Amino acid sequence: MNNVFERNQAFHDAWDKKTIRIGFWSLLIACAASFAPPVLLWLIWGIIPPIGTLLEAWKLILLAYGAFHIIEPISYYSVYGLSGTYMSFLSGNNSNMRVPAASTAQDILGIEPGTDKAEIVTTLAIAGSVIVNLCVLFIGIVFGAQIVAHIPENIKNGLSNYILPTMFGALYATMAVKDKYMAVVCLVLCIVAKLIGLPSWAFLIIAVFGSIGASRILYVKGIIK
Amino acid sequence: MEENILSVANSWPIWIAAAVLVTTVVTQSVIYIKHAYNNAPLVGVTPAECKEAVRIGMVTSIGPTIAIFIVVVSMMIVVGAPITWMRLSMIGSASTELTACTLGAQAYGVELGGEGYNLEAMATAWWAMSFNGAGWLLICAFLTPHLEKVRMRVSGGDMRWLSLITSAAMLGLYAYMLAPYMVGMGGQCFVAIVGFVVMYILIKLSAKFKWLKEWNLGIAILIGTAAGIIFA
């Protein structure tokens, strides 16, 4: 089948420009709003650290996370698409909530990843995950202390230590049934990268772009179709 | 840690400031839902599929949100409830925000919540988290439109390859999350394997029982986590 340049122009005309406008402004507004609490500390209570301390804090942040600020959007983009990127990088929790929401919705609805259909479905799934995430979080903020006080220690440990690894194991199974070669290749690649102790931003690049590279080789060789 | 810190950190002006941010996040999602509904017919996605997509997204995020409950509580104690609410509602995972707080306190020369941790130290932690989040927000605001162009160029218009790029990136991201647990070899490695096996069985089963499919992930998470609590 010849799939080349089969692009739905009517959809992209209606979708892209408005999506970008919504995303751009919501991210800028959020960025400004996120500085409101420390600024209020300053304006109302006069609490402001010395400028040297603030610059030192900024430097430490850039050293620890600066690379992620750039690498993460690039690495996640092909999973999220346009609107998904704006939503996920506003609301955060990329690997533990947004990617699972996007991939599970595509999987259950039988949508081919990377298509225009996937763009719509991903948008809706991520939006749904943001809304529930915020509702549950709000409950956690208001009642969290009381709830946590009543949970036995071993269950508390279980909830904070085991939910995520179980989920990633399970999600890996959904990918592995579709493509066992790639599943083995990617996991081995990542385990090796982890064992040689790469800094985690380099590890992320290897995981995503190494996997895409491996997929390219298998595609060109006709092992995956 | 000084006594008066939390009375300031939990005061109503800070709650309002946090609410503004959370409202922005919710509003953005609602606008995108509308935008997606309006354009779904152009690509042949039915309203029923739209509804189902939102629901699936909702269900998948319940487990991971509960997983951060403990962090929510420990973070509230050192930086206050409203700022915790705000930070965990936006970019930066729970562990990232805690690290950013720690770095902020460090820049001030104290330990987070430790001796000498006063209002100014807490303010530094707040600024540190805002600096960190702003990095992602600003870069995404300006970079995202260009990423679509790059993606189309890399794919060379080959739609099948475009789809494979997406699948490979997903797989890579999951492997990236999974590998540290596998290398650790402990209880987390055990539950990851349980999750994998249970899910694999559920997928085979749901080929026969279609209704099962959307419960698969939830069931796998429950069984895996329970197995971890009981055996690990």
Side-chain angles (χ1 to χ4, degrees):
Chain A
M1 189 168 76
N2 184 9
N3 282 325
V4 176
F5 300 121
E6 203 182 77
R7 196 173 147 90
N8 183 339
Q9 203 55 48
F11 169 69
H12 284 279
D13 288 344
W15 180 257
D16 293 5
K17 211 170 151 193
K18 193 169 173 203
T19 300
I20 291 170
R21 207 170 54 223
I22 299 166
F24 180 77
W25 288 108
S26 55
L27 263 51
L28 286 195
I29 291 169
C31 186
S34 76
F35 282 95
V39 168
L40 284 177
L41 275 187
W42 180 19
L43 296 180
I44 301 180
W45 290 276
I47 301 159
I48 177 90
I51 184 81
T53 307
L54 284 182
L55 289 175
E56 174 68 16
W58 196 9
K59 191 188 85 189
L60 290 176
I61 289 293
L62 285 181
L63 285 174
Y65 291 106
F68 287 100
H69 297 159
I70 301 167
I71 290 163
E72 281 192 349
I74 298 173
S75 304
Y76 284 85
Y77 185 80
S78 56
V79 172
Y80 290 148
L82 206 51
S83 53
T85 300
Y86 287 117
M87 273 192 278
S88 301
F89 283 92
L90 174 56
S91 61
N93 292 296
N94 281 297
S95 55
N96 59 342
M97 289 179 214
R98 310 307 164 222
V99 178
S103 75
T104 308
Q106 290 177 21
D107 184 40
I108 293 179
L109 293 172
I111 308 267
E112 190 170 359
T115 56
D116 295 337
K117 265 189 171 182
E119 172 91 18
I120 293 287
V121 167
T122 303
T123 303
L124 293 166
I126 290 178
S129 86
V130 169
I131 288 166
V132 162
N133 170 202
L134 293 189
C135 292
V136 178
L137 179 66
F138 189 69
I139 297 173
I141 294 288
V142 179
F143 301 107
Q146 288 102 303
I147 297 173
V148 169
H150 287 97
I151 304 176
E153 201 59 38
N154 62 332
I155 301 212
K156 240 192 286 191
N157 278 336
L159 293 181
S160 38
N161 294 327
Y162 297 140
I163 290 183
L164 291 182
T166 310
M167 182 179 77
F168 287 115
L171 288 168
Y172 213 71
T174 62
M175 304 303 284
V177 282
K178 283 186 227 152
D179 195 338
K180 47 185 183 299
Y181 293 111
M182 276 296 293
V184 174
V185 170
C186 291
L187 191 58
V188 170
L189 184 75
C190 284
I191 288 178
V192 171
K194 185 72 199 168
L195 283 176
I196 56 178
L198 291 174
S200 41
W201 58 268
F203 179 26
L204 178 61
I205 295 182
I206 301 242
V208 173
F209 295 98
S211 300
I212 293 176
S215 172
R216 180 73 197 176
I217 294 168
L218 294 175
Y219 179 55
V220 171
K221 286 196 184 290
I223 296 171
I224 51 178
K225 295 193 172 61
Chain B
M1 190 164 147
E2 288 178 14
E3 292 292 320
N4 62 342
I5 289 184
L6 289 181
S7 63
V8 172
N10 292 332
S11 61
W12 62 266
I14 309 297
W15 276 109
I16 293 174
V20 170
L21 192 282
V22 176
T23 310
T24 310
V25 180
V26 175
T27 309
Q28 190 214 42
S29 281
V30 172
I31 294 176
Y32 274 132
I33 289 179
K34 252 188 94 195
H35 187 39
Y37 262 91
N38 289 342
N39 288 288
L42 289 175
V43 291
V45 176
T46 65
E49 285 174 316
C50 286
K51 211 171 145 195
E52 182 68 5
V54 176
R55 226 168 56 89
I56 294 167
M58 290 180 154
V59 174
T60 49
S61 65
I62 296 173
T65 308
I66 291 175
I68 63 172
F69 253 57
I70 316 288
V71 184
V72 171
V73 174
S74 46
M75 196 167 153
M76 275 163 53
I77 300 166
V78 282
V79 288
I83 201 87
T84 303
W85 181 40
M86 178 181 110
R87 294 311 320 185
L88 296 182
S89 299
M90 64 182 295
I91 182 71
S93 65
S95 60
T96 303
E97 300 293 0
L98 271 182
T99 311
C101 281
T102 311
L103 292 176
Q106 217 176 74
Y108 192 74
V110 297
E111 200 181 309
L112 190 65
E115 188 150 344
Y117 180 78
N118 55 19
L119 274 167
E120 251 184 40
M122 186 190 72
T124 318
W126 287 17
W127 282 98
M129 289 189 286
S130 296
F131 286 142
N132 196 24
W136 276 293
L137 293 172
L138 291 179
I139 285 176
C140 277
F142 290 97
L143 184 69
T144 308
H146 303 286
L147 292 176
E148 177 64 20
K149 288 181 199 130
V150 172
R151 190 175 76 116
M152 290 318 288
R153 203 167 305 149
V154 168
S155 72
D158 180 344
M159 288 302 167
R160 179 62 193 141
W161 170 229
L162 196 59
S163 159
L164 286 175
I165 291 178
T166 308
S167 306
M170 270 181 201
L171 201 52
L173 287 171
Y174 287 145
Y176 167 76
M177 295 305 294
L178 202 51
Y181 299 126
M182 303 312 279
V183 172
M185 295 294 274
Q188 294 186 318
C189 174
F190 168 71
V191 296
I193 294 169
V194 172
F196 184 94
V197 173
V198 171
M199 191 66 171
Y200 193 86
I201 296 167
L202 287 169
I203 292 167
K204 295 292 167 198
L205 278 178
S206 54
K208 224 178 257 162
F209 309 102
K210 291 264 182 277
W211 56 268
L212 188 61
K213 203 168 178 184
E214 61 182 280
W215 300 98
N216 283 353
L217 189 61
I219 297 172
I221 290 177
L222 269 180
I223 295 180
T225 307
I229 293 171
I230 298 167
F231 298 112

